[in-house]
Amino acid sequence: MPLCLLRVGSPRKEGYPLHTCTRSCGRCRRKGCPGLIQDWAACFTGLLAGLGRAEAQQTTLHPAVGRLFVHTLDRETPLHLPEHVAVPPTVPVTYHAHLQGHPDLPRWLRYTQRSPHHPGFLYGSPTPEDRGRQVIEVVAYNRDSFDTTQQRLVLLIGDPEGPLLPYQAEFLVRSHDVEEVLPSTPASRFLIALGGLWEPAELQLLNITSALDRGGRVPLPIEGRKEGVYIKVGSASPFSTCLKMVASPDSHARCAQGQPPLLSCYDTLASHFRVEWCNVSLVDKSVPEPADEVPTPGDGILERDPFFCPPTEATARDFLTDALVTLLVPLLVALLLTLLLAYVMCCRREGRLKRDLATSDIQMVHHCTIRGNTEELRQMAASREVPRPLSTLPMFNVRTGERLPPQVDSAQVPLILDQH
């Protein structure tokens, strides 16, 4: 395959479409025409320009462990616009980010974008286990021209600079979404406003998490309703008295009863942020936590217990009697039940002679008379030769009374032939 058939970036933006290069290469293969050298040069020029742009799309970033990392995905790169040209706000652009060689992002990194017309953000706080080099591949999609642009973010995660931040506080801000706090301006405004409650302290952002990721509910589509965001701030200075009072047990008890928490100072955050003071949590890491006791493996022999004395020797037992009782008793019971049933079924039958003897003579004569009369009537009906009534003859005319002599004995002909 000729080299000019490779497509890098968007050939339309280079001025030489892909189909032009394909037709030129085809003519060169068929005719070998030297007049198309300019087309070849144009193809190679576009290829080199695309490769140069692809190399320029790699960015190296330096996140710090335990510190907030925010990277804004700009919309100029997927649109291929010069630096002096403004980005059209109507062009929709979406992104897909994943760790190189994996289908998803690392566990500490999150991606969010409110809509295709808003910028995307990669944010999170690395953990000590994430130290090292991570490569994030970001694919941008231009929803109007269907162009795609790939960008590589090389993250070199290292230890943070400066003093440790053992005093950490987390606040729930109900008046903002996570996309509204990730830019530098709202985040700096929050730190400045919080400095009025935490003095003197140099505050730094440690992490930002959407309330939806912490079990929050999606708000109703009503103006002014926000999802909420958790903002975690750290400092090397101890907590102020005001923050300690807010996080005290008495304050939590008032919140449980539906009353406002204890806040002894002026709320400097109220002008720009609506903080839910009942959900403020303070973590003090200045005091090292006691190490967990490591269990010491023993020899596997239990210590002597004076309250439990197991027998040293077991006496011999004969289980023959138990086995005979278990087997023979059910068999004997079954045999007795069988004999009793056989006596009832076979030896307790009355018989016909006994029933006849127990019946009175009057009942026997009456029964025999009924049977004898029935047999006699049946014999008389079978041997009768009395002519049938005229109305039952088939040749009798009811209106005239005329009767034709039948050819056969009509007395022997049944009225319904099918029943004969």
Side-chain angles (χ1 to χ4, degrees), residues 6-76:
L6 298 176
R7 181 175 182 178
V8 179
S10 178
R12 295 176 309 192
K13 305 298 180 180
E14 305 298 335
Y16 293 90
L18 182 62
H19 60 83
T20 303
C21 298
T22 306
R23 290 198 301 268
S24 300
C25 297
R27 289 196 299 270
C28 291
R29 288 195 303 269
R30 293 193 303 270
K31 301 180 180 180
C33 49
L36 298 178
I37 297 179
Q38 296 180 354
D39 295 339
W40 279 90
C43 292
F44 280 110
T45 302
L47 177 62
L48 294 177
L51 291 176
R53 185 173 65 250
E55 293 178 357
Q57 291 177 356
Q58 179 172 331
T59 307
T60 302
L61 303 173
H62 298 273
V65 175
R67 301 294 186 271
L68 178 64
F69 167 76
V70 179
H71 178 71
T72 305
L73 302 175
D74 55 351
R75 305 172 66 237
E76 291 81 0

Side-chain angles (χ1 to χ4, degrees), residues 111-177:
Y111 163 75
T112 182
Q113 184 182 16
R114 177 57 58 178
S115 69
H117 299 281
H118 292 80
F121 296 95
L122 290 174
Y123 67 99
S125 179
T127 60
E129 291 80 9
D130 299 321
R131 290 191 183 94
R133 182 176 182 271
Q134 295 182 355
V135 179
I136 306 299
E137 295 182 352
V138 182
V139 181
Y141 301 91
N142 188 340
R143 294 302 179 180
D144 282 350
S145 61
F146 301 101
D147 289 339
T148 60
T149 303
Q150 186 174 4
Q151 182 181 6
R152 297 178 61 191
L153 304 177
V154 180
L155 306 182
L156 302 179
I157 304 174
D159 295 330
E161 299 179 356
L164 299 178
L165 307 177
Y167 301 97
Q168 302 175 4
E170 190 175 48
F171 304 88
L172 174 58
V173 180
R174 291 291 188 182
S175 58
H176 288 70
D177 293 332

Side-chain angles (χ1 to χ4, degrees), residues 215-232:
R217 301 181 62 180
V218 179
L220 296 175
I222 303 176
E223 185 178 0
R225 298 290 183 91
K226 300 293 183 178
E227 297 174 356
V229 58
Y230 285 89
I231 301 179
K232 192 174 185 179

